[in-house]
Amino acid sequence: MNFDIAMTDELLATTRAVRKRLDLDRPVAREVILECLELAVQAPTGSNSQGWRWVVVDDPAQRAGLADLYRRAATAYLSQAGEAAAAKGDTQTERVYGSALYLADHLEKVPVHVIPCLEGRPPENAPPAMLAGLYGSIFPAVWSFQLALRARGLGSALTTLHLVYEQEAAKLLGLPEHVLQVALLPVGYTRGTDFKRADRPPVSTITHWNRW
Ligand SMILES: Cc1cc2nc3c(=O)[nH]c(=O)nc-3n(C[C@H](O)[C@H](O)[C@H](O)COP(=O)(O)O)c2cc1C
């Protein structure tokens, strides 16, 4: 099979964290979420563990509950961080925090919240190899899910702030104790489908060949 390289590169390079351009009024069918999850679970997992679980929240009351927890964790932190970035003249980061505050203010209106989870929690003081194996067995799938959404005209943002209140969220969602939440992805159709590459440092400045 020959991939369309230009199209593939465009997908990889322009799948952004979408917040302000999520369409809060257009419903998202469960089928499209399941279709993207089917692709997501083709991602690799450590020891082929496949311990991923996905909690998909489209009930308005449940979304409102999650949004309350998210705001409790996010609002003060994001405002302060945004002001600090502005004081430094870091406009890209200032924009990110402005956009993140917008998401916090509107989260309950985003049509679907997807919470990727893992079966199994790390012990306290888990060594780096264990943590890498654990989180490395879910984030590749999360990113594939985000790419699959983008290819279908939907957008998302990987967020972790609600995890400050992980236990409260677990209670709200009825999660068993051994299930670990790793993120919350607000999902909706995007207003427009054109997204740009972000500014990143040239890889030659952050790549080390053979030794640091
Ligand atoms: C581990 C991780 C945690 C993140 N947590 C949040 C979050 O809690 N809230 C949020 O609005 N964005 C969050 N983001 C999104 C980043 O802010 C975003 O990826 C970054 O600003 C770069 O934007 P881009 O993805 O469009 O290039 C997170 C991203 C990662 C990888």
Side-chain angles (χ1 to χ4, degrees), residues 19 74-76 78-80 82 96-106:
R19 305 182 187 91
T75 307
L78 292 174
S79 311
Q80 281 160 19
V96 168
Y97 285 121
S99 157
L101 269 173
Y102 170 90
L103 177 67
D105 287 343
H106 294 81

Side-chain angles (χ1 to χ4, degrees), residues 16-17 19 70 96 100 103 158-161 198 200:
R16 302 261 71 79
R19 305 182 187 91
Y70 189 89
V96 168
L103 177 67
L158 197 165
T159 80
T160 47
L161 278 166
R200 297 287 193 253

Side-chain angles (χ1 to χ4, degrees), residues 53-77:
R53 300 291 178 265
W54 308 85
V55 181
V56 184
V57 178
D58 57 7
D59 174 72
Q62 289 288 80
R63 282 187 282 145
L66 288 171
D68 279 346
L69 293 176
Y70 189 89
R71 272 192 288 273
R72 263 165 64 193
T75 307
Y77 162 71

Side-chain angles (χ1 to χ4, degrees), residues 30-178:
R30 288 186 171 186
E31 290 68 31
V32 73
I33 299 290
L34 291 173
E35 196 175 293
C36 294
L37 289 176
E38 293 284 359
L39 294 162
V41 298
Q42 291 297 322
T45 52
S47 307
N48 197 25
S49 52
Q50 302 185 34
W52 39 45
R53 300 291 178 265
W54 308 85
V55 181
V56 184
V57 178
D58 57 7
D59 174 72
Q62 289 288 80
R63 282 187 282 145
L66 288 171
D68 279 346
L69 293 176
Y70 189 89
R71 272 192 288 273
R72 263 165 64 193
T75 307
Y77 162 71
L78 292 174
S79 311
Q80 281 160 19
E83 281 161 24
K88 276 197 275 177
D90 180 353
T91 49
Q92 188 189 50
T93 308
E94 189 188 353
R95 259 202 322 277
V96 168
Y97 285 121
S99 157
L101 269 173
Y102 170 90
L103 177 67
D105 287 343
H106 294 81
L107 188 56
E108 70 276 16
K109 301 190 191 97
V110 181
V112 179
H113 298 177
V114 175
I115 296 146
C117 300
L118 279 170
E119 288 235 66
R121 309 179 72 85
E124 253 180 67
N125 301 321
M130 185 185 281
L131 288 175
L134 193 74
Y135 288 105
S137 295
I138 184 81
F139 282 116
V142 170
W143 184 236
S144 290
F145 177 64
Q146 293 184 269
L147 293 170
L149 289 169
R150 163 104 167 97
R152 287 163 178 73
L154 295 96
S156 62
L158 197 165
T159 80
T160 47
L161 278 166
H162 89 286
L163 297 175
V164 173
Y165 297 108
E166 194 218 349
Q167 288 307 309
E168 288 88 337
K171 200 164 158 212
L172 181 81
L173 300 170
L175 299 183
E177 221 167 85
H178 69 283

